[in-house]
Amino acid sequence: MKDSNSPRSETRSNALWGTSSRGGDTRSNAMWGRSGRRANALWGRGGRGLVLGIVATLTIAVPLGATASSKGNGNSGGNKTFIAPGLLEGAKNNPNQKIHVIIQSSAGASDAKAKLKGLGGDVRKELGLIGAVAVDVTAGKLASLQKQDGLTITADAPIKLSGNANFSTDMWPYESGNARNWGTPGHPAPDTPTIAIVDSGIDANRADFDGGARVLPQVNLASRTPNSPGDGRGHGTFVASIAAGSAPGHAGASPNSRLLMIDVMDDSGTALTSDVIAACGYILQNKTALNIRVANFSLHSGAKNHFYNDPLDRAVEKLWFNGVFVVAASGNYGNPNGPSGVMFAPGNDPFVMTVGAVDLGNSIKPNDDKAAPWSAWGYTEDGFRKPELGAPGRYMTGAVPMSATLAAERPDHIVAPGYMELSGTSFAAPVVAGTAAQMLARHPSWSPDQLKGALMLTAKPLPQAVNGSSGVGELNAARAATYPGTPPNPNKSLRSFLVQDPSGALTFNAASWNDTVKANASWGDASWGDASWGSNAVSDNAITDVGVPYLLDPVQEALAAAELGLTIGPDGTVGVSTAPTPLLP
């Protein structure tokens, strides 16, 4: 695979979709194949049990995900069972094949198990966090499950992985403002909460993590093998060093943060969706004991679903609603000629903070910065504009164990023993995760919604970037950490659709959401970004174009901008009109 620093000649290998050509890119398509013969990666060729891929956001591997019908074959908001598009069709062709699926039930995991009785399904893992079970079931049994009520059945898709005194030889900590949050020997930075990183593991006993002093015992939830101790892939160590590295010359965004690494990847950088969901459950169960307030997901699914159907989206929402700030990479399947959309969980979820990669150019000023050409952006399947924010993600230097498969695959990217230079939204996300930890050190009472609002409100405009390609702008970590007062809530309109489930936990009411969409002619089947919520946007103190379904007219937009301390240029770019705030200790 070619590095996507040269996007026009890059090769994109996609396990679901087949060979095609667009804009000079070559995509190896296992679904249709070179002869046009259908060979879906879930069903394989000749009945071999391959599965849908969740792809890492490394630019050295830039797969694109599956296409699903926006109509599907059911409505998760009602009692009718929903089965992800493609599963039933594959079952007709391969009825005797065992497949990996996640079965969610509106009545909980025990109900899902009960409805499997007599069908011969093997429950591999209970996912109580989202009322689901991970099951190996004979494909021909899906038709029987469709006759049950209240189920949502999706593929258990493999997930593949789409800097003494703090200083860095890279430019990004200084341009992004992260360096101002590091503190000094005389004025050290305040204590931060723990950052959980769901990835491929970590090489903890190195200077980047103070010899392991800041790394909690690693949690291994990976089902796939081989999975070497520590970090056999290398991706997790790289991500962790960007979020919280502390080695001289290689400081990360939050060098004093504790890290919890949850290993869900095998040595090739592949995991199952159910393992990532299990990681969310572990974070939620231990968030108080381990003081986990931030979770980083530098990965994305290869299966396209609506966010209210997708089990991984539901899992990260559980974290968000319970006070854990979720940061997700937008993905590396972007198109330099226009928006690609952001189609895959968890980056497609409207609640979480989705981050795109910014190419910093050649100066420390944002005047020559723009979105990296492979950084995914645009609308989600459900019409939300993503990402919300851009952060440095191109030509990043990070820690990688030299025994890792990543180092073996790309020896030309090794810049020093134990360090590589790589690009990707995988590495933009932990910049924001580390920033969020520093923000919580100074504002421990802030909710995830408030963190998201402060990050967006303080973002720097990118005059050279295409409008929307880096969200509202580029990360300004110092201003975000010192934002005075109470930040606006960009998710306020969405929160009206939250209800309590029987256990008392908050959950998204898909039925109410779908009924509201169907009843509103301005939404219909069009992108919600083209709908207008009028004066609600101003009264809610929301930020325009941040993933909430409205687009104000110019007058309303100007009023909202003035209220929020923003400026909106003639081309629609959003800037900050308020004076910079002083750095807090």
Side-chain angles (χ1 to χ4, degrees), residues 106-108 128-131 284 314 318 322 499-507:
S106 57
L129 180 68
I130 60 172
L284 187 57
R314 288 192 62 201
K318 293 285 188 180
N322 284 279
V499 296
Q500 287 186 323
D501 64 17
S503 69
L506 284 177
T507 188

Side-chain angles (χ1 to χ4, degrees), residues 507-535:
T507 188
F508 189 81
N509 189 334
S512 175
W513 173 263
N514 283 310
D515 289 344
T516 304
V517 170
K518 292 175 183 177
N520 191 321
S522 66
W523 288 359
D525 292 327
S527 167
W528 294 329
D530 295 331
S532 174
W533 281 28
S535 60

Side-chain angles (χ1 to χ4, degrees), residues 8 11 32 57 69 85 106 174 191-192 208 210 226 266 286 310 325 348 379-380 437 441 473-474 532 565:
R8 295 194 178 187
T11 300
W32 297 105
T57 46
S69 166
S106 57
Y174 306 100
D191 291 339
T192 69
D208 301 89
D210 296 330
D266 65 14
N286 294 278
D310 195 283
F325 184 72
N348 69 334
Y379 289 106
T380 70
E474 182 182 338
S532 174

Side-chain angles (χ1 to χ4, degrees), residues 406-442:
L406 191 54
E409 290 171 5
R410 299 309 302 265
D412 55 319
H413 284 240
I414 297 173
V415 295
Y419 293 93
M420 298 181 71
E421 182 183 81
L422 298 170
S423 299
T425 57
S426 270
F427 314 128
V431 174
V432 176
T435 300
Q438 291 293 334
M439 293 169 70
L440 286 166
R442 295 160 173 82

